[in-house]
C-alpha cells in the first residue's frame, strides 16, 4: 500500500476547527479585557465614593478640615480621637484616589492641598508611634514624609515652616 500524502492542515484539524479555535481565543481575550475594564471602573467608583465621603466629613467638621491643632490637643480626648479618625479617613481617601487615578495629577494636587494643615499632627503621631504611617501604602508613607520635608515640619516641634 502506498501512503497518501497528508496536508499540514489535515494533521491539525480542518479549517473550520482552526477558525473555531481562533474565535474562542479572541473571545477569551475580549473577556479578559472586559474584566480588567470592570475592575478599573470599580476601583475608580470606589475612590470617588471614598473622596466624596471625606469631602462630606470635611464639610460637616470644619474644625478638623482647617484644624487648629494646638486647640485640638488642648481640648477633650474625644476631640483628639475624632480628629485622628478624620485624618485617617482623609489619608485613606487620598490613597484610593491617587491609586485609581494615577494618571490624573489633579487628584494628587487636591490631596496635597488638603494635607498641609494636618502635617503637624502627622509629624507628632509619627514621632510618638512610628508604626502609624506603616498602616498605609509605601506610596502614601513617602507622600506624607515628602510633604513634611517640603513644609519644613520636623520633630521635635512639628510646626509648619514657611514654604
Amino acid at each position: 500500500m502506498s501512503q497518501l500524502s497528508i496536508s499540514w492542515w489535515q494533521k491539525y484539524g480542518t479549517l473550520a476547527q482552526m477558525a473555531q479555535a481562533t474565535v474562542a481565543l479572541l473571545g477569551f481575550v475580549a473577556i479578559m479585557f472586559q474584566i480588567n475594564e470592570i475592575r478599573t471602573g470599580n476601583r475608580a467608583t470606589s475612590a470617588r465614593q471614598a473622596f466624596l465621603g471625606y469631602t462630606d466629613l470635611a464639610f460637616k467638621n470644619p474644625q478638623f478640615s482647617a484644624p487648629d491643632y494646638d486647640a485640638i490637643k488642648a481640648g477633650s480626648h474625644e476631640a483628639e480621637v475624632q480628629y485622628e479618625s478624620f485624618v485617617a479617613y482623609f489619608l485613606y481617601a487620598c490613597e484610593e484616589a491617587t491609586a485609581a487615578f494615577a494618571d490624573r495629577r489633579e487628584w494628587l494636587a487636591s490631596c496635597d492641598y488638603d494635607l498641609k494643615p494636618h502635617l503637624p499632627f502627622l509629624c507628632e503621631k509619627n514621632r510618638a508611634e512610628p508604626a502609624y504611617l506603616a498602616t498605609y501604602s509605601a506610596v502614601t508613607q513617602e507622600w506624607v514624609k515628602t510633604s513634611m520635608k517640603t513644609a519644613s515640619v520636623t520633630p521635635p516641634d512639628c510646626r509648619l515652616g514657611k514654604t
Side-chain angles (χ1 to χ4, degrees):
M1 276 199 198
S2 80
Q3 197 161 23
L4 296 172
S5 173
I6 298 175
S7 299
W8 69 270
W9 56 268
Q10 288 174 321
K11 289 182 185 177
Y12 301 105
T14 66
L15 189 57
Q17 289 171 327
M18 286 187 269
Q20 184 178 15
T22 302
V23 169
L25 182 61
L26 289 174
F28 179 73
V29 169
I31 289 171
M32 294 304 292
F33 179 74
Q34 188 173 19
I35 288 171
N36 188 47
E37 287 299 310
I38 289 169
R39 184 178 297 128
T40 301
N42 284 346
R43 180 141 200 199
T45 299
S46 175
R48 282 186 182 98
Q49 287 174 339
F51 205 82
L52 284 173
Y54 157 70
T55 303
D56 184 54
L57 196 59
F59 180 76
K60 291 177 181 174
N61 297 281
Q63 74 277 17
F64 298 146
S65 60
D68 177 352
Y69 185 53
D70 290 331
I72 292 171
K73 287 191 303 186
S76 70
H77 177 69
E78 182 180 299
E80 284 185 81
V81 170
Q82 286 176 322
Y83 178 64
E84 183 174 336
S85 294
F86 179 88
V87 173
Y89 195 97
F90 163 68
L91 291 176
Y92 166 74
C94 286
E95 188 170 77
E96 288 296 306
T98 55
F101 306 111
D103 59 334
R104 296 180 57 194
R105 178 80 179 116
E106 64 270 18
W107 285 93
L108 183 57
S110 178
C111 288
D112 280 340
Y113 183 82
D114 287 356
L115 176 65
K116 190 172 181 179
H118 305 296
L119 291 175
F121 162 76
L122 289 167
C123 176
E124 285 187 14
K125 188 72 172 174
N126 192 46
R127 186 184 63 201
E129 298 174 46
Y132 177 77
L133 279 180
T135 62
Y136 297 96
S137 72
V139 172
T140 299
Q141 292 174 47
E142 189 59 34
W143 169 58
V144 169
K145 288 176 183 177
T146 301
S147 296
M148 280 193 261
K149 186 182 244 184
T150 301
S152 301
V153 177
T154 57
D157 63 346
C158 292
R159 301 235 179 250
L160 280 171
K162 294 184 180 182
T163 55

